[in-house]
Amino acid sequence: MKKNTLLLCLFAVILLASCARLPQRSVAQKEEEGELLLAIPEWFDTDSLRVAYLYSEGIRATTESGRPFDGLPYWVKILEIDSLHGGANHQMSVLGTEISPSRALFYSRRAVEADTTNMEFLGQYAYSQVAAANYSTALQIYNPTQEKETRNT
């Protein structure tokens, strides 16, 4: 019995190690090879979870490359499907804060409207207010968030 368990564990470790070594192409490599940045599977149009799929793919793209703008096509596509998606609006706000504070404020406001209890959305909304030089409004947002979550500085 112990020998079978040991063999099974050894097989699982080898299998996991071999999967980790599969070659992965970054978004930049895919762009260089002329592959479409936004690959959409055949089942996409009929799936009710397509927004969740795109969101996870956008997070994956930004995480793998370390470049936040690699997720931009995914956020744009999500907002075409569901303009009130909190996560995509939040990501667009984060990307736009330094480039266009007014657009970042727009997206941040929509993210907060989608989920008023998300502390990350509220923090980004306040930060967007600061970037847009609306300091008094930013303080009105920051102060209650500090009361709700004291470790959030």
Side-chain angles (χ1 to χ4, degrees):
M1 183 70 178
K2 290 183 180 182
K3 185 178 180 182
N4 288 341
T5 306
L6 181 62
L7 287 174
L8 183 61
C9 288
L10 182 62
F11 176 73
V13 167
I14 292 171
L15 179 66
L16 289 173
S18 66
C19 289
R21 294 189 166 262
L22 290 174
Q24 298 289 325
R25 294 182 300 153
S26 69
V27 174
Q29 289 171 329
K30 290 177 184 178
E31 284 178 353
E32 289 171 7
E33 295 169 7
E35 187 176 324
L36 287 175
L37 183 61
L38 190 61
I40 297 177
E42 293 176 16
W43 51 262
F44 183 78
D45 289 332
T46 59
D47 192 355
S48 63
L49 296 175
R50 61 185 183 264
V51 171
Y53 168 79
L54 287 172
Y55 190 75
S56 62
E57 286 297 305
I59 295 294
R60 182 192 56 77
T62 58
T63 304
E64 280 181 357
S65 68
R67 295 186 315 243
F69 282 92
D70 282 354
L72 185 62
Y74 295 98
W75 315 141
V76 170
K77 183 67 175 173
I78 289 169
L79 293 176
E80 286 175 7
I81 296 168
D82 179 7
S83 64
L84 300 177
H85 188 270
N89 278 302
H90 172 70
Q91 294 295 334
M92 291 292 281
S93 174
V94 169
L95 292 177
T97 301
E98 303 302 324
I99 299 167
S100 173
S102 61
R103 285 304 284 172
L105 189 57
F106 168 77
Y107 287 119
S108 209
R109 185 178 297 120
R110 286 196 343 192
V112 169
E113 288 170 358
D115 186 357
T116 58
T117 61
N118 189 314
M119 297 303 286
E120 190 172 338
F121 292 1
L122 286 169
Q124 178 61 31
Y125 184 42
Y127 183 72
S128 297
Q129 293 285 358
V130 170
N134 300 332
Y135 304 113
S136 60
T137 308
L139 281 174
Q140 292 172 357
I141 300 165
Y142 272 131
N143 290 335
T145 58
Q146 285 296 314
E147 293 170 10
K148 291 178 185 175
E149 192 170 320
T150 56
R151 295 179 298 156
N152 187 14
T153 57

